Amino acid sequence: MDEELRSLAGRVRGEAGASAAEQVAYERLLATEDQDELAGVLIETQRPLWAREVAAFRLGCAGDRRAFETLVLLLNHREPQRCATAAYALARLGDPRTARAAAALATNGLRTAYALHPVRLLTELRAPETVPALMATLRGLLKPHDPNWRVALACVEGLGQLRDKRARPVLEAALDHPRLTAAASAALSRLT
């Protein structure tokens, strides 16, 4: 069991319930190598979120695209740990729809508070959608006293890693924001 799966297993153990049947189901999801069984969990009714998360994570890490929709839903979840787990699996899934979905989540102004992991995933993917999505998201966060400065910082750091000169104007605008100044300066230095 790799470290990410071990972390997920530990986190959802308490959600799995205390009954013998629930513990058997929990152990089975962690142990099975049958991808069809894991995919079945994603479509069965009455399955709890923790079970869907484990199944989607394992399928995603194995490159099974049946996990895509569930992982995208989890990437947009209100619990940051679920978002991080989904981003990890999506980065390994290899589905060409991933960057487009992450860009849509990152640029959705109504869900900006949940955009941190989509932004980080986009940076990791380095897809054609990445720079335009990070620039658009950052532009929307450069208002004075915006509470989502961590998302803005992730955008600045991502643009710095990507070294795309198209980001220069938005990174220069970020210099005026105290929480972003150092990262924006570092990102701009990478563009030259």
Side-chain angles (χ1 to χ4, degrees):
M1 184 181 298
D2 76 2
E3 186 56 39
E4 290 295 324
L5 181 56
R6 191 178 351 275
S7 175
L8 170 60
R11 180 169 52 80
V12 302
R13 180 182 300 278
E15 294 178 47
S19 76
E22 291 167 324
Q23 285 304 305
V24 167
Y26 168 80
E27 295 295 335
R28 177 75 187 155
L29 280 175
L30 293 174
T32 187
E33 295 301 323
D34 184 347
Q35 290 185 352
D36 289 335
E37 181 181 347
L38 291 169
V41 171
L42 301 180
I43 59 173
E44 289 174 14
T45 58
Q46 306 297 321
R47 280 292 191 150
L49 181 59
W50 69 264
R52 293 178 195 280
E53 182 180 7
V54 170
F57 178 85
R58 295 206 52 222
L59 287 169
C61 290
D64 190 319
R65 293 184 181 177
R66 292 177 287 184
F68 176 76
E69 288 82 7
T70 302
L71 289 171
V72 169
L73 289 172
L74 291 167
L75 183 63
N76 194 34
H77 201 273
R78 69 183 174 275
E79 294 176 37
Q81 291 175 315
R82 292 201 196 281
C83 299
T85 299
Y88 180 89
L90 281 164
R92 282 138 192 84
L93 180 60
D95 192 305
R97 300 172 291 175
T98 300
R100 199 171 332 115
L105 293 174
T107 58
N108 182 342
L110 299 175
R111 303 287 294 171
T112 303
Y114 305 106
L116 182 62
H117 292 286
V119 164
R120 288 180 177 161
L121 175 59
L122 277 168
T123 301
E124 184 176 351
L125 294 174
R126 297 177 174 262
E129 297 89 344
T130 300
V131 171
L134 295 184
M135 289 171 40
T137 302
L138 180 56
R139 249 186 241 107
L141 297 173
L142 293 179
K143 301 176 289 262
H145 310 296
D146 192 295
N148 299 302
W149 65 270
R150 285 180 182 86
V151 176
L153 182 60
C155 290
V156 169
E157 291 169 346
L159 290 168
Q161 288 176 30
L162 297 166
R163 300 174 184 222
D164 191 308
K165 292 182 181 184
R166 294 176 293 174
R168 183 172 299 283
V170 73
L171 289 171
E172 287 173 347
L175 288 170
D176 295 334
H177 296 266
R179 289 181 168 159
L180 305 177
T181 302
S185 179
L188 283 164
S189 73
R190 291 187 192 109
L191 300 186
T192 57

